Amino acid sequence: MKYFGWLFLFFSFSIQAQFQINGIVKDAKTNKALPFATITYNGHKRNSTDVDGKFTFQTNPNSTIFEVSYVGFTPAKYTISQNITLYTVYLWPNSIALKSVNVKNENPALAIIKKVIAQKSNNNPKDKLSSFEFKAYNKLIVTAHSDSINGKLDSIYSTKNGQTIFSKIDSTNYKFKEVVSKHHLFQTEKVSQFQFKNNSLKETILGTQMAGLKHPIYEIIGFNLQSFSVYDSNYELFETQYNSPIAKDALVDYNYKLLDSLDIEGRPTYMIHFKNKKKQKASGLEGVLYIDQNSYAIAKAIMRIKGVLDINGTHEFKYIPEEKLWFPTNKTFKIVKGKNDDDIKILGGTIQFDGDYEVDFKTRKKQPSDYVYLLSKTNIFDIQYNIPFEVKKSFIAIEIKDDALNKPESFWNTYRTEKLNLREQKTYVALDSLAIKKRFESKVRFGRKIINGYLPIPYFDIDLRKIFKYNNYEGFRLGFGGVTNEQFSRKFKIDAYSAYGTKDGIFKYHLGSAVRIGKFSNSWIGASYTDDVREIASTLFLIDKIPFKLYDPRPINISTFYNYVSWRTYLETAIIPKTESIWELAYTQVEPKFDYAYNLNNKLYSHFEMTTAKLSLQWNPFSDFMQTPTGKIEIEKRFPKFTFQYTQALPKFFQNDFQFSKFDFKTEYEKKYLNGQKTNLLLQAGYALGDVPITHLYNTSPNNITKETIIQRITFAGKNSFETMFFNEFFSSEFMYFQFKHSFNRVKLVSKVKPSFVLVSRMAWGNLDKPEQHVGLDFKTLNDGFFESGFELNQIFNGLGLTAFYRYGPNQLSKFEDNIAIKLSFVLNLGL
């Protein structure tokens, strides 16, 4: 009987210890929520409301009251009742209390923040410590609170002939509740070692596991959810950078308010609320900084963005007396659904929030994604500082050890800050079983290949770009090709293709092979033979990765090609930090497939030979890279990116008809906004000097055909091409091209018609040296510049859209309608 009593006492204590109080704090006068009000409970514990004034805390059976306070308001005490779990707290403004925190009409929060900014170098661990290292355990889950889901079966009715009839049973929420009550939807863990030295922070992942996958999705592991440091000028939350509330110019962007004072680790702190001055809800950060009253260091920080997604990041610190420094100990990151019209997918589709487009959000039936949230917790331990150590490969932001994927349970028990609960244990079992049943790992591999344009089969990946094309010279181009895959070998590969043009009646070929000479640098040395055709005066950067398209619109209308037969050898490597490069030596026979000759010293060349050396290099100085057991991945694509290419003819090395040099440059910038908008900038330039035939000059990517009417000129628009510039209209030996694009949110016009509106402006300048040497083609030069502007309405229906551009400036045509180009667009969303 006494054992039963002990069991009863144990379960009673467990239930009481988990008694949860929820509520919201409001201004009694305006009924507006009060963010970050202080909640005192269990005698001394303190919590605060979130940006919406909501709070939650766990209370014990001995607690009878909790107190709510907010600067400028009269505190209120509420009696705790186990029959009430949701409280609405009203606070009344108190003019006397408000005056007590305002001295001489000055905002005391501003004076505090100014001191925080002035003391940043003394309080930032990256500045104060010469070096530091620590270990961190992170657990990320995607889940939902099953208690908040209505698991009832719903009947769906439809109207037919004016009568309401039963259609079907909707069990979506019922099934969803049943799943999430047993296990999470997604779960991953990792243990990392962080090392900071010479202003560089590197993460080495010692162990990682992802439910349902033997080989994790590395992009999810490397996803940067929140900044490590709160002292950086730009604070990053969910891969979007914001001006920090303690940046040098922060006072321009933020309003501050002193809320309260409280102790953290026995040290008094100010509790300061900051909010972006812009009125738009999703215009910037909002949150609370807990400021040490003696050192003006940050002892805790809560960062919040509320918009299409509701994102919250929390940073906690511990005080190191010997260094007089607050050092990070815990990070928490959470995403829940905000107010969004479009479906939103994050982490590669791991978590999806359905749009609110069917009916008004307030009255629409809740979908499963309305309950889903992402939660990431990081615990920091084994902190060491100001000790000598070497950071190997410091230019790699994240490195995953080869043995990190196969750690035993003893490893995880050593580093977990708390044991997995039953629901978390079941998540691994359930998702591992489901992944095997659904062959999820093979589907991930298949999806990766497809999105890059390859169809994987045993030992070989079929290149989908080689199967079908069309242009005005070859007609329908039918072919087959591909490359051997990792099932064949990870150290050796063979690539080949063959194609036939129905209009020119000629076969084209390519055969190449390469061997890997460096795993970490992903270095390959190879050779190839090619007999094919190419558009004249087109700029091709060897290092560019050709994106997969179901169709490539520009070549459809191109009729001027040249045949090239090429023997080449090359070295491809990423050995230089944050770069990829190709070093090529090639001998090429060129024959223009149109009426053309190059006049050099009164000798006409209708076909010619070239021996060239080429260096093509892409430099991504602001991106972060991850080294995985299978290769290097760009995990954070930051801009700008730079691409350089240098081509040099080698007349004394082998057979060569001309001597010339070419310098090509391209830089790209992209800015994504949390509200879904995006800005793209592209600057490209080229300079060729020496004896350069028209096949190797610059055409600045025209995409307009010579027809009489606007309707006859309707074709498909390109991505970065001049839609009002006619093919072969301009040629240059030196040029510069600039493009501006801004994409707005998709706008709902009618049901299922939600186009994406994009503003576009393009301009180019150029010059042609010795134009008289080019015989057979009539063309102009870009000395006066070329300008066009317009808009794109993409994805109007099933990916199809419409674009319109207008040509203006010195090269504007005399007929108004000849300056207008209307094109179709097509955007394919693979949903992978």
Side-chain angles (χ1 to χ4, degrees):
M1 184 69 183
K2 65 179 182 180
Y3 294 109
F4 178 80
W6 279 109
L7 283 172
F8 180 80
L9 179 63
F10 172 78
F11 282 110
S12 298
F13 175 78
S14 298
I15 293 172
Q16 290 168 344
Q18 293 180 359
F19 185 66
Q20 183 169 292
I21 299 295
N22 303 293
I24 185 170
V25 180
K26 293 185 176 183
D27 185 329
K29 194 171 183 179
T30 64
N31 203 41
K32 291 183 178 181
L34 296 177
F36 309 110
T38 300
I39 313 293
T40 305
Y41 61 99
N42 289 353
H44 64 280
K45 290 188 176 181
R46 285 192 172 188
N47 200 348
S48 60
T49 61
D50 63 15
V51 72
D52 301 314
K54 297 178 181 178
F55 65 88
T56 181
F57 62 87
Q58 303 284 340
T59 185
N60 60 50
N62 298 322
S63 294
T64 57
I65 61 172
F66 68 91
E67 184 176 358
V68 184
S69 60
Y70 196 77
V71 66
F73 289 77
T74 302
K77 294 183 178 180
Y78 279 74
T79 301
I80 295 176
S81 171
Q82 293 197 12
N83 297 322
I84 303 174
T85 57
L86 183 62
Y87 293 81
T88 302
V89 177
Y90 290 98
L91 299 183
W92 287 92
N94 186 334
S95 57
I96 296 176
L98 185 62
K99 289 179 181 178
S100 67
V101 297
N102 286 275
V103 182
K104 297 181 181 179
N105 295 322
E106 292 182 354
N107 182 355
L110 284 178
I112 296 170
I113 291 297
K114 288 178 181 178
K115 291 183 179 180
V116 172
I117 295 172
Q119 293 295 320
K120 281 174 63 174
S121 59
N122 295 324
N123 294 319
N124 185 357
K126 289 184 175 181
D127 292 329
K128 189 168 185 179
L129 302 176
S130 61
S131 64
F132 58 79
E133 64 178 357
F134 58 85
K135 290 186 176 69
Y137 166 76
N138 172 266
K139 178 169 60 182
L140 184 151
I141 62 172
V142 176
T143 189
H145 293 300
S146 59
D147 294 340
S148 62
I149 303 171
N150 183 355
K152 294 181 180 180
L153 297 174
D154 293 330
S155 299
I156 298 178
Y157 295 87
S158 60
T159 303
K160 187 175 182 180
N161 298 327
Q163 293 183 342
T164 301
I165 59 174
F166 173 79
S167 177
K168 63 179 179 179
I169 294 291
D170 183 4
S171 60
T172 304
N173 283 353
Y174 172 81
K175 292 179 178 178
F176 183 67
K177 181 171 183 174
E178 187 178 32
V179 169
V180 298
S181 63
K182 295 177 180 178
H183 59 80
H184 299 308
L185 303 175
F186 177 80
Q187 182 172 286
T188 183
E189 298 175 278
K190 68 175 178 177
V191 176
S192 303
Q193 181 183 36
F194 286 82
Q195 295 178 300
F196 176 82
K197 191 175 182 180
N198 298 327
N199 204 34
S200 175
L201 181 66
K202 180 184 178 180
E203 177 184 4
T204 301
I205 296 178
L206 307 177
T208 182
Q209 60 180 349
M210 191 172 290
L213 292 169
K214 292 182 180 179
H215 300 281
I217 301 174
Y218 296 117
E219 289 82 356
I220 293 180
I221 295 176
F223 204 87
N224 188 27
L225 299 175
Q226 60 189 128
S227 289
F228 166 75
S229 174
V230 296
Y231 290 98
D232 294 340
S233 296
N234 291 320
Y235 180 81
E236 190 164 340
L237 198 61
F238 197 52
E239 293 201 327
T240 301
Q241 291 190 350
Y242 303 89
N243 196 30
S244 168
I246 56 170
K248 289 184 179 180
D249 58 347
L251 274 62
V252 176
D253 293 332
Y254 293 96
N255 290 318
Y256 302 89
K257 183 178 182 180
L258 179 62
L259 299 180
D260 206 344
S261 63
L262 71 159
D263 287 351
I264 298 179
E265 292 196 9
R267 294 180 65 86
T269 65
Y270 298 112
M271 185 178 175
I272 294 181
H273 173 233
F274 66 90
K275 186 174 183 178
N276 196 280
K277 290 181 178 180
K278 296 180 181 179
K279 294 182 178 180
Q280 293 87 346
K281 292 183 179 179
S283 58
L285 284 174
E286 180 178 2
V288 172
L289 300 176
Y290 297 77
I291 310 299
D292 188 305
Q293 294 186 17
N294 297 316
S295 64
Y296 294 95
I298 296 177
K300 183 179 178 180
I302 300 173
M303 307 292 195
R304 179 82 177 269
I305 289 292
K306 188 175 182 182
V308 293
L309 294 174
D310 194 348
I311 304 174
N312 188 82
T314 301
H315 299 257
E316 296 179 288
F317 301 78
K318 78 170 184 178
Y319 188 70
I320 304 176
E322 56 268 28
E323 294 293 334
K324 297 181 180 180
L325 181 72
W326 288 88
F327 197 89
T329 55
N330 297 287
K331 291 198 304 179
T332 304
F333 178 88
K334 187 175 183 179
I335 295 179
V336 298
K337 181 180 178 179
K339 184 69 170 66
N340 57 294
D341 293 329
D342 288 320
D343 295 346
I344 298 175
K345 294 182 180 181
I346 62 176
L347 298 184
T350 302
I351 178 170
Q352 174 173 330
F353 301 102
D354 296 326
D356 307 328
Y357 49 82
E358 291 186 357
V359 292
D360 181 73
F361 180 71
K362 295 180 180 179
T363 60
R364 104 193 221 287
K365 177 185 173 183
K366 283 184 174 291
Q367 302 299 315
S369 72
D370 294 328
Y371 306 101
V372 172
Y373 65 90
L374 179 148
L375 179 63
S376 172
K377 290 186 176 181
T378 302
N379 304 109
I380 295 173
F381 53 94
D382 288 354
I383 302 169
Q384 300 182 68
Y385 46 87
N386 293 336
I387 60 172
F389 58 80
E390 181 184 358
V391 183
K392 297 180 179 179
K393 305 169 186 174
S394 59
F395 55 89
I396 298 293
I398 303 177
E399 182 178 1
I400 302 180
K401 292 293 187 181
D402 289 346
D403 62 346
L405 309 183
N406 302 302
K407 293 298 184 181
E409 190 63 22
S410 58
F411 170 87
W412 294 106
N413 291 334
T414 301
Y415 289 108
R416 285 179 182 134
T417 52
E418 57 183 23
K419 291 184 178 180
L420 295 182
N421 58 38
L422 184 60
R423 191 180 179 197
E424 291 167 339
Q425 294 175 33
K426 287 184 176 180
T427 299
Y428 280 116
V429 175
L431 295 187
D432 287 349
S433 176
L434 183 65
I436 294 173
K437 182 180 179 181
K438 300 291 186 179
R439 301 179 67 245
F440 183 65
E441 201 137 25
S442 63
K443 290 180 179 179
V444 170
R445 176 179 176 271
F446 182 85
R448 286 179 181 274
K449 298 282 188 177
I450 288 292
I451 204 169
N452 287 309
Y454 292 94
L455 176 65
I457 59 176
Y459 309 111
F460 191 76
D461 291 340
I462 299 173
D463 192 339
L464 300 176
R465 287 163 291 218
K466 305 297 183 184
I467 296 175
F468 176 83
K469 290 182 180 180
Y470 180 86
N471 60 68
N472 263 348
Y473 174 73
E474 295 178 282
F476 291 100
R477 178 180 168 121
L478 309 176
F480 180 83
V483 60
T484 55
N485 58 36
E486 66 278 2
Q487 293 178 350
F488 176 80
S489 175
R490 293 185 179 275
K491 298 180 179 180
F492 180 75
K493 60 184 177 182
I494 301 172
D495 64 298
Y497 70 80
S498 179
Y500 177 78
T502 59
K503 190 173 181 179
D504 67 342
I506 297 176
F507 280 96
K508 292 86 181 175
Y509 310 93
H510 168 84
L511 177 64
S513 64
V515 59
R516 192 179 72 187
I517 57 175
K519 179 181 177 181
F520 176 78
S521 62
N522 194 31
S523 297
W524 295 78
I525 187 168
S528 67
Y529 168 81
T530 306
D531 184 348
D532 207 339
V533 294
R534 181 177 295 162
E535 176 192 1
I536 67 167
S538 56
T539 302
L540 176 66
F541 288 90
L542 289 182
I543 199 63
D544 277 353
K545 295 177 175 61
I546 303 174
F548 171 52
K549 301 177 183 178
L550 282 182
Y551 77 103
D552 191 0
R554 282 198 67 253
I556 292 176
N557 302 299
I558 299 174
S559 56
T560 48
F561 286 78
Y562 66 90
N563 170 249
Y564 67 99
V565 179
S566 175
W567 291 262
R568 64 186 288 258
T569 183
Y570 65 92
L571 169 66
E572 182 177 353
T573 183
I575 196 170
I576 304 173
K578 297 198 174 187
T579 69
E580 294 177 85
S581 61
I582 296 178
W583 306 67
E584 177 193 84
L585 180 64
Y587 167 70
T588 308
Q589 298 174 352
V590 178
E591 181 182 359
K593 309 305 278 186
F594 55 95
D595 184 18
Y596 172 78
Y598 185 68
N599 185 355
L600 178 61
N601 298 326
N602 295 321
K603 180 180 179 180
L604 296 178
Y605 290 85
S606 58
H607 60 275
F608 26 85
E609 297 175 286
M610 297 179 177
T611 301
T612 57
K614 185 177 293 186
L615 166 63
S616 187
L617 181 144
Q618 186 176 86
W619 180 40
N620 305 320
F622 305 104
S623 295
D624 284 338
F625 294 86
M626 172 191 283
Q627 184 70 40
T628 75
T630 59
K632 192 181 298 183
I633 300 173
E634 186 180 6
I635 52 172
E636 286 196 42
K637 297 181 179 181
R638 294 197 182 104
F639 295 86
K641 295 173 176 283
F642 305 96
T643 306
F644 308 88
Q645 186 161 283
Y646 170 58
T647 306
Q648 178 63 55
L650 304 174
K652 296 181 180 180
F653 183 79
F654 199 62
Q655 300 180 45
N656 204 329
D657 290 322
F658 309 123
Q659 183 172 351
F660 64 89
S661 302
K662 287 184 69 176
F663 303 88
D664 295 293
F665 169 77
K666 178 174 65 174
T667 181
E668 302 168 85
Y669 177 81
E670 180 180 287
K671 171 69 174 178
K672 290 183 178 179
Y673 307 94
L674 195 62
N675 61 8
Q677 298 188 34
K678 182 172 66 174
T679 299
N680 296 84
L681 303 176
L682 172 63
L683 176 66
Q684 186 171 334
Y687 180 67
L689 68 159
D691 302 316
V692 188
I694 204 168
T695 53
H696 289 65
L697 291 177
Y698 304 105
N699 63 16
T700 58
S701 193
N703 193 31
N704 204 10
I705 57 177
T706 308
K707 298 288 184 180
E708 288 296 324
T709 66
I710 296 175
I711 300 298
Q712 290 176 319
R713 293 196 298 271
I714 292 179
T715 57
F716 279 95
K719 182 181 179 181
N720 301 318
S721 54
F722 280 98
E723 305 301 333
T724 60
M725 183 185 292
F726 296 99
F727 288 105
N728 302 329
E729 185 178 4
F730 297 94
F731 289 99
S732 305
S733 56
E734 54 192 270
F735 84 103
M736 184 173 67
Y737 161 73
F738 177 74
Q739 174 182 270
F740 166 85
K741 279 189 177 184
H742 184 81
S743 306
F744 294 89
N745 290 325
R746 298 181 69 180
V747 179
K748 180 180 178 181
L749 300 180
V750 294
S751 179
K752 296 184 179 180
V753 178
K754 300 177 63 181
S756 169
F757 182 71
V758 184
L759 286 177
V760 186
S761 189
R762 301 184 180 101
M763 55 203 72
W765 297 266
N767 179 54
L768 179 59
D769 188 33
K770 303 175 183 178
E772 68 280 358
Q773 291 184 316
H774 305 279
V775 181
L777 276 181
D778 293 327
F779 54 85
K780 296 182 288 186
T781 61
L782 285 170
N783 299 74
D784 296 327
F786 189 95
F787 305 87
E788 73 172 24
S789 295
F791 64 87
E792 300 173 356
L793 279 176
N794 296 321
Q795 296 177 281
I796 297 176
F797 183 74
N798 288 341
L800 283 172
L802 193 67
T803 71
F805 288 88
Y806 182 71
R807 173 174 174 166
Y808 57 94
N811 277 295
Q812 187 176 35
L813 302 175
S814 57
K815 290 185 179 180
F816 174 77
E817 58 271 22
D818 289 344
N819 298 295
I820 298 174
I822 297 176
K823 305 288 180 70
L824 300 175
S825 67
F826 183 75
V827 176
L828 174 66
N829 183 6
L830 292 175
L832 297 174

